[in-house]
Amino acid sequence: MQHAAAPSLFSPFRLAGVTLRNRVIKAATFEGMAPRAQVSDALIAHHVALARGGVGMTTVAYCAVSPDGRTFADQLYMRPDIVPDLRRLTDAVHAHGARVAGQRLPSAAAAHAPAVGMAGHRLLLVDPGQRVEVMAP
């Protein structure tokens, strides 16, 4: 019995309609770089360094959907006033050929919603056309 060769780690890959330059994905690990729940220059630099290093996608950790969903005070939560800084982050990472995902943490109220899925985590994939796709882990 012949088995097909496994794809190369460095070959392009499509994930939920988004093409990654390779199959290397930096998993979510709390960066501790969001003082006052804001996107910081240090957070952007951290993810840009990963993009420069060659990852196909980097993941911004602990993105709560509301302030009460945070597990740390200096943790991002999604709201309109940080969208421009999130765009700066994604644009900077995209400029180095990588994509960005965000690890979504629900608020206590949203934790029981059926759309939240396993362990309450989702990925938010933002492409250069400003389309956001939400997919289960």
Side-chain angles (χ1 to χ4, degrees), residues 66-82:
S66 66
D68 67 334
R70 294 180 293 170
T71 52
F72 304 100
D74 288 339
Q75 182 176 322
L76 292 178
Y77 67 94
M78 299 299 105
R79 59 200 189 276
D81 64 295
I82 68 166

Side-chain angles (χ1 to χ4, degrees), residues 14-30:
R14 286 195 56 79
L15 177 65
V18 175
T19 300
L20 305 181
R21 65 179 165 190
N22 59 47
R23 297 160 188 264
V24 178
I25 298 175
K26 184 264 184 197
T29 54
F30 184 53

Side-chain angles (χ1 to χ4, degrees), residues 51-125:
R52 277 193 199 127
V55 300
M57 183 168 71
T58 183
T59 307
V60 178
Y62 291 102
C63 300
V65 299
S66 66
D68 67 334
R70 294 180 293 170
T71 52
F72 304 100
D74 288 339
Q75 182 176 322
L76 292 178
Y77 67 94
M78 299 299 105
R79 59 200 189 276
D81 64 295
I82 68 166
V83 169
D85 287 330
L86 288 171
R87 175 54 51 198
R88 272 192 325 122
L89 187 152
T90 57
D91 287 347
V93 169
H94 291 159
H96 294 281
R99 299 298 182 130
V100 181
Q103 179 189 31
R104 177 182 174 241
L105 299 177
S107 67
H112 302 289
V116 172
M118 291 178 52
H121 298 278
R122 290 283 186 119
L123 293 177
L124 304 176
L125 300 176

